[in-house]
Amino acid sequence: MAPLTIQRSASVPDELRVARCLSAPHRGPRLVFFSGGSALNGISRRLKRYTHNSAHLITPFDSGGSSEVLRNAFAMPAVGDLRSRLMALAEETDLGQPDIVRLFSHRFPVDAAPAVLESEVEQVLAGEHPLVRAVPQPMRMLVVSHLQSFAQQAPVDFDYAGGSVGNLVIAGGYLANERLLEPVLFMMSKMMDVLGTVRSVVDVNLHIGAEYADGRVVIGQKEITGKELPPPEERIQRLFLSDGTTEVPRSEIILPKRNRRLIQKADLICYPPGSLFSSVGANLLPARVGQEIAATQVPKVYVPSLGCDPESYGMSLCEQVGALLDILWSDAGPGVPATALMTHVICDSSVPASECNAVIERFGIPCVPLPLADETGKRYDATNFCEMLVSLV
């Protein structure tokens, strides 16, 4: 049977498509996001109203915060962004598991006296903390088993201050499952009634590296993103993955088959708002990502961040589009049309027309301004964003 490609005009928002999604989110569209960080979490919470079939491929390369402490202790991928997206997509109605969500959201105090912190940590790891005891069986038994697995392997001097209980559960499950993330992410998704799919884009312990226009090379997400450390005030010329000291060839980091299937079955692919390189671009680095995207005949939409992104220092919208395309072309091949990798750029109506026109002229990609920002103008309105995506499917 020969494939048939169909194109259509779309109204945004499309009231009929939006109504269908709101009435039957369990039958909603399969939206695939290449994402990381917290930029998409608020939108993800709203997205549950429209579809329970979104898939989120998350970067495991974070090198800051509590993820850094876990990575240093166990030489494991970063799990903080995975946990936060699971929480964002968890069922929040009476049909969900609020006790599990409260436990996994809990963080140990940062400024507590050492004795107070130690006491709370002991209670949690032993399964005696009120938040743990509130979890019904048999889920409590699973949680406690992962916490105890963590406790048995944690270094004596492990720093729990500010740590997330959910991160400890994931780390314990990772250690108990032959150092694999997928089994524990699957378990947590079921426990929290996650209305979507959350996966690490690859299950490897690597870091992001960046080469800047002035020749400097830095390794580590927190060195790049400008949140914990001042970012270099230069443009990033090239992004790569590293074992912490040297670059790892792309051919050695292959997108898993289970994630390739998500792309192949997608109704829409979204490069969402977030730090341009460490949140979005990093997810495009594994081999086969560009090839699979190019081979999938669905809308492929880039929605740039609002406000200042330190990683996009001195870059126009057109240059940001080019940076993502360069990463994709390096896998898909330079002869692949830009429109096979990105069919649309959707930006807020505050973006100057000259910026949109530059994208169209250079890449031939339609750049469409829409009223998507909230009243502050610094963030996207979650409803507007979600209704825009489901209207394009």
Side-chain angles (χ1 to χ4, degrees):
M1 185 166 54
L4 182 65
T5 300
I6 298 175
Q7 295 181 326
R8 70 175 181 89
S9 297
S11 300
V12 181
D14 185 313
E15 294 182 1
L16 179 58
R17 281 180 167 77
V18 169
R20 285 174 176 168
C21 290
L22 289 171
S23 65
H26 62 286
R27 298 175 60 187
R30 293 167 295 192
L31 311 179
V32 172
F33 297 91
F34 288 92
S35 175
S38 59
L40 198 65
N41 284 344
I43 290 169
S44 297
R45 290 189 177 90
R46 186 62 55 85
L47 187 64
K48 293 177 293 191
R49 296 179 56 196
Y50 300 88
T51 181
H52 297 170
N53 299 310
S54 65
H56 303 249
L57 297 177
I58 306 292
T59 167
F61 312 126
D62 191 356
S63 65
S66 61
S67 287
E68 179 183 21
V69 179
L70 287 170
R71 299 195 75 180
N72 290 339
F74 299 106
M76 63 181 290
V79 299
D81 290 341
L82 289 158
R83 176 196 56 80
S84 65
R85 191 60 52 82
L86 286 166
M87 308 292 292
L89 290 168
E91 172 67 85
E92 295 178 283
T93 70
D94 293 340
L95 300 175
Q97 301 291 341
D99 294 322
I100 284 279
V101 173
R102 277 192 289 270
L103 173 63
F104 290 171
S105 301
H106 183 67
R107 287 187 178 272
F108 294 113
V110 176
D111 301 321
V116 173
L117 175 61
E118 182 179 355
S119 175
E120 183 172 349
V121 169
E122 288 178 354
Q123 279 190 306
V124 168
L125 297 180
E128 297 299 326
H129 192 281
L131 286 175
V132 182
R133 294 183 65 84
V135 175
Q137 296 287 19
M139 290 187 289
R140 189 197 315 164
M141 186 184 303
L142 285 170
V143 170
V144 171
S145 70
H146 287 327
L147 287 171
Q148 291 180 348
S149 176
F150 178 88
Q152 290 165 6
Q153 301 184 61
V156 175
D157 60 349
F158 185 83
D159 184 8
Y160 289 92
S164 159
V165 173
N167 286 359
L168 303 190
V169 173
I170 296 177
Y174 173 81
L175 298 169
N177 285 281
E178 301 179 351
R179 300 181 73 85
L180 295 172
L181 280 175
E182 186 63 19
V184 68
L185 294 176
F186 179 81
M187 181 207 74
M188 290 185 72
S189 295
K190 296 301 182 184
M191 292 175 69
M192 291 192 291
D193 289 330
V194 171
L195 303 175
T197 299
V198 177
R199 290 180 181 163
S200 177
V201 67
V202 287
D203 192 349
V204 293
N205 177 32
L206 294 175
H207 293 271
I208 305 168
E211 181 180 347
Y212 287 83
D214 62 359
R216 280 180 292 174
V217 174
V218 301
I219 295 176
Q221 172 264 349
K222 73 175 184 180
E223 304 283 342
I224 298 168
T225 195
K227 294 177 181 177
E228 296 184 46
L229 299 171
E233 291 188 345
E234 286 285 345
R235 293 191 185 191
I236 294 176
Q237 295 286 83
R238 188 173 68 93
L239 203 65
F240 60 90
L241 293 176
S242 166
D243 61 9
T245 55
T246 59
E247 182 172 347
V248 177
R250 188 175 201 159
S251 59
E252 296 182 11
I253 313 300
I254 301 173
L255 186 72
K257 186 178 293 185
R258 62 181 179 273
N259 291 343
R260 297 204 295 269
R261 283 196 293 265
L262 290 177
I263 297 172
Q264 292 162 5
K265 295 180 179 180
D267 295 315
L268 179 144
I269 294 168
C270 182
Y271 312 107
S275 298
L276 180 66
F277 291 99
S278 65
S279 289
V280 184
N283 279 307
L284 309 178
L285 287 172
R288 296 292 299 271
V289 172
Q291 297 172 50
E292 294 293 346
I293 290 174
T296 305
Q297 302 297 315
V298 297
K300 304 157 193 179
V301 181
Y302 172 46
V303 187
S305 294
L306 293 171
C308 177
D309 173 12
E311 295 181 10
S312 302
Y313 178 81
M315 297 176 71
S316 65
L317 175 60
C318 186
E319 289 166 331
Q320 292 175 49
V321 170
L324 295 181
L325 289 173
D326 283 342
I327 298 173
L328 292 165
W329 270 321
S330 65
D331 179 67
V336 173
T339 50
L341 301 168
M342 186 182 298
T343 63
H344 297 82
V345 176
I346 308 292
C347 59
D348 184 63
S349 51
S350 61
V351 173
S354 58
E355 295 265 323
C356 288
N357 291 336
V359 172
I360 298 168
E361 291 171 7
R362 180 175 175 186
F363 299 112
I365 299 173
C367 182
V368 183
L370 295 171
L372 298 176
D374 65 12
E375 64 278 1
T376 70
K378 298 179 180 179
R379 295 183 179 182
Y380 286 105
D381 179 273
T383 297
N384 292 347
F385 191 99
C386 294
E387 294 190 353
M388 175 269 293
L389 288 183
V390 300
S391 297
L392 295 178
V393 171

